[in-house]
Amino acid sequence: MSTTETEEQRDGGDAQDGKDLGAAGAQLSTAPREELTGGPSLSVVGWVRWFWRQLTSMRVALILLFLLSLGAIPGSLIPQNSVDELKVRTFKETHTTVSPIYEKLQFFDVYSSVWFSAIYILLFVSLIGCIVPRSWQFVGQLRGRPPGAPGRLTRLPAYTTWRTHTEPEQVREAALAMLKKRRFRAHTVGDAVAAEKGYLREAGNLVFHIALIVMLVAFAAGQLFKSEGGKLIVEGDGFSNTLTQYDDFRSGSLFRTDNLVPFTFKLDRFTGTYEKSGPQRGTPRTFEAGVTYSQGGGPDKKSVIQVNKPLVIDGTKVYLLSHGYAPVVTVRDGRGKVVFNGAVPLLPIDNNITSTGAIKVMDGYRDKDGKKDQLGFQAFFVPTFGGAGKGTMFSQFPGLEFPVIALTGYHGSLGVNAGLPQNVYQLDTAKMTQFKDAKGQILKARLLPGEKMTLPGGAGSITFEKEVKEWASFQISQQPGNGWALTGAIAAIAGLVGSLFIQRRRVWVRAVTGEDGVTVVEMAGLGRSESPKLPEELGDLALTLNAEAPTAPDSSDVPAEGAEK
Amino acid sequence: MTLAAATNENLAHISNVLIYSSMAVYTLAFFAHIAEWVFGSRSKVGRTAAALTGAGSAAAPSVAVRVKQAGGTAVLDRPKVITRSAAGTRDVPDGPGAAGGTEKGDLYGRIAVSLTVLAFLVEAGGVVARAMSVQRAPWGNMYEFSITFSTVAVGAYLGFLLARKNVRWMGLLLVTTVLLDLGIATTWLYTDSDQLVPALHSYWLWIHVSTAIFCGAVFYLGAVGTLLYLFRDSYENKLARGVKPGSFATSVLERLPAAASLDKFSYRINAAVFPLWTFTIIAGAIWAGDAWGRYWGWDPKEVWSFITWVAYACYLHARATAGWKGRKAATLALIAFGCWLFNYYGVNIFVTGKHSYAGV
Ligand code: HEM
């Protein structure tokens, strides 16, 4: 760490340092000054000005930042509506005393709550109020020139001196040339050369803070214009990106339907593989959805969507969310006429994809008397049954190794004509009658592929065909502003690196003729903060300059502090 | 489709043996460090007390200026660079280190460092063997995070030593916490070697998780510096006020670097890691965008990464704000690291979210 040793006398005291440096030390950064502003004056304008000055001070920025991190905490410990509504509901049921209080405090919607919004909006107002004047100030600094040398260079954090026979003017010229070559902004003021370097620090800092604003705006715009919907597709089926095709759909308040990118895609094949043995048996290994898609009526293209690899079509992303099985069944009426044939997607209820669902025959079915009726079946499906003759209807493995379907049947009104939206995976049996067997027991059967359950009284039959398709559900989302957010993020990191790794520093070289006619060269450096690099750099510069203005051989005595002008 | 090759039980076993061996070697390093501190405490170097009052000599570090002359290089009178501390800081030289300038202490210190190097190599071997046994990046559960985490922390420490930075003062504390980390990893967090679920199959795993572990490990070194800064600073304050600190405190604290040096050390670390941490969060958001269909969903892990980020931003701001420099800023830095720790242990174990790879 620091091997720096320090000068022994510190007579002047700290207060004097500032005075000594004067303009030379000022404005090395554009950070707002922490002045001890008094209270507001009593006029309205006075109050507003006072409030604004407080809001844009570093101190308040600090407090707001702290509040922001503090305010984010409850949202990570209490279930959030935006993440999992079901969890919120269970929480409310089990914590009846605190829930009303939490509700009042908007603890179930922390990140869209009034108070959280207030914190970050204030922070960003403060940020803008801080950035704008700082940017102007910085432009001013760029236009101006580094301030001239302070009276006593010995006061500066790094200092060096020597005597030389080279003329002062030549020394200054050499110093100016050297500093310019090292890409300092340098000029000669009076008897000294003033130079400054590392403006990128300030620029980086401003870029970083501006990039934060860009990211916030992009994020907000994304929320307003975004759309997001889900769709479950069985192998062989397709989807076209219009509102009516979605199973569910959400959008931001400024979204319009014609913002949807026109494309279609078809799920050719879904592949899921699982660990076959060992303690991790059943853990998923790969999920892949092979699709064929076409954009705006263009040519068909093939692609594979994986959990981590969405398909991107003109800014719209198609994500693979989940998957399950869709056994193919055929339902016949009493005369053997096929009234339903197709794959029925069933919803998984555990990790081994034990699935449930409903098979609904809405029209085309007539009972044995030829009367119109509707059929409904509750289905339980396991891709891997425990084994013949043993095992419950809980799957032992998520892969399709020993599929079995268990069915019970109903007839009557499915209730689909009532106009109410209905869950396709659930059977509303309120107006239906369950089929019973000859002994009056509930009719139910476990079927293997190819097997058939005959309905009593010539009501027909249902067959589990020797085919089980897979389905996959997709999330289709588009959110404009992502490009801006990413640009902002990259700019923020670049700015941060500039801001934190670059030192802004000033160097002065003074050369005057001493009392004995020998030239006294003095060099000093000042940085924003102490840095071991500054003395090193100064030494380096001194070394270079010393080559052009060699040390006078007789200089046994180092000039006293007051040797300057 | 392609079923990744089964985990190699043999390599997994080798990895476990290596991790346990490294713990044994770290334990030896721990005792060597203890010996270093003990022998160091017996030294009677008339070291700091006098220096603390500010009567140090003015032997300024000089920069060699060699003036080339025809026929050889003659060293003439060189310009000496004299440095001054910034206004308001104490002029206190760094302590002599744990060995306290004693030869025996120094010997044990060197032994400790050598043992740490050995333990580091063994532990790194354990991490690599684990990675080979599962044929993926060894960052799928908390056991794997933990062993990588301490390997990186020790690696960074040794890197500083190699770069001739004065960091040996943290050796004992570091080795102790590494043992703690490995102890927790092998007893409570242990998970059999296994492959990843599909959601983790992504090159973002390499990018996001490796930088996250690196940030945490190096932030940790910064936090050690900050903690010791707080102790050393109050010790120096006491001396400046003429109060005599307890003899144990004196013995330990006088051997540490000056408060200003410790503060600078941890600031540099935190400032250097902060952009990388920013990158880690952004990379995580991009990955989440690919894997879960949204970039930011206020998942507990995301929330705590954000909190940690804001807390470090707070610290950096505090250092630029009058009245907040020094101890207050240091406290903020410790809070920020506390947030990181909670994000690691707390969120992984106690809070359920999408990031539930704890494997416990
Ligand atoms: C959105 C919230 C903000 C974040 C995340 C943030 C973050 C940061 C970070 C990480 C730094 C460190 C860079 C460095 O040390 O050079 C920094 C510096 C700085 N920030 Fe902010 N900032 C925020 C808001 C503000 C506000 C509201 C102000 C105005 C009062 C402000 C003024 C400054 C200044 C002047 C510096 C430079 C300090 C220095 O030169 O060391 N920041 N900010």
Side-chain angles (χ1 to χ4, degrees), chain A residues 56 65 151 161 181 197 228 297 358 377 396 401 432 447:
Chain A
T56 55
L65 273 172
T161 184
K181 204 171 151 209
K197 195 176 172 178
E228 188 178 284
F377 297 90
Q396 305 299 310
E401 294 194 337
M432 305 196 86
L447 306 182

Side-chain angles (χ1 to χ4, degrees), chain A residues 1-2 4-7 10 62 65 76 87 111 155 157 159-160 273 280 285-286 308 317 319 532 543 555, chain B residues 1 64-65 77 79-80 82-84 91 94 166 194 196 199 201 261 268 287 289 291 293 295 303-304 310 314:
Chain A
M1 210 178 313
S2 167
T4 312
E5 304 205 16
T6 45
E7 189 194 16
R10 309 199 50 215
L62 189 60
L65 273 172
S76 71
K87 244 189 188 167
Y111 307 107
R155 293 261 146 240
Y159 173 83
T160 184
T273 60
Q280 301 285 334
R285 290 300 169 219
T286 50
N308 266 313
K317 289 188 170 179
Y319 298 94
L543 185 95
S555 68
Chain B
M1 293 247 302
V65 176
D77 251 0
K80 289 177 179 164
I82 298 166
T83 54
R84 285 171 60 89
D91 281 337
D94 290 342
N166 170 16
D194 176 34
L196 292 178
H201 274 295
S261 307
R268 287 221 192 100
W287 186 10
Y295 293 92
V303 172
W304 280 92
V310 174
C314 233

Side-chain angles (χ1 to χ4, degrees), chain A residues 120-141:
Chain A
Y120 75 75
I121 289 171
L122 271 178
L123 182 60
F124 273 86
V125 171
S126 164
L127 183 55
I128 293 167
C130 180
I131 283 292
V132 172
R134 284 181 61 202
S135 302
W136 283 125
Q137 208 183 329
F138 183 59
V139 169
Q141 290 177 9

Side-chain angles (χ1 to χ4, degrees), chain B residues 159-181:
Chain B
F160 281 126
L161 278 181
L162 204 66
R164 310 221 158 271
K165 303 278 185 230
N166 170 16
V167 289
R168 218 168 90 187
W169 44 268
M170 69 158 66
L172 179 59
L173 208 55
L174 181 68
V175 168
T176 312
T177 41
V178 163
L179 279 171
L180 200 68
D181 170 72

Side-chain angles (χ1 to χ4, degrees), chain B residues 310-328:
Chain B
V310 174
Y312 274 107
C314 233
Y315 161 73
L316 292 175
H317 270 216
R319 291 190 54 105
T321 308
W324 275 82
K325 293 188 176 81
R327 299 186 67 88
K328 280 189 198 164

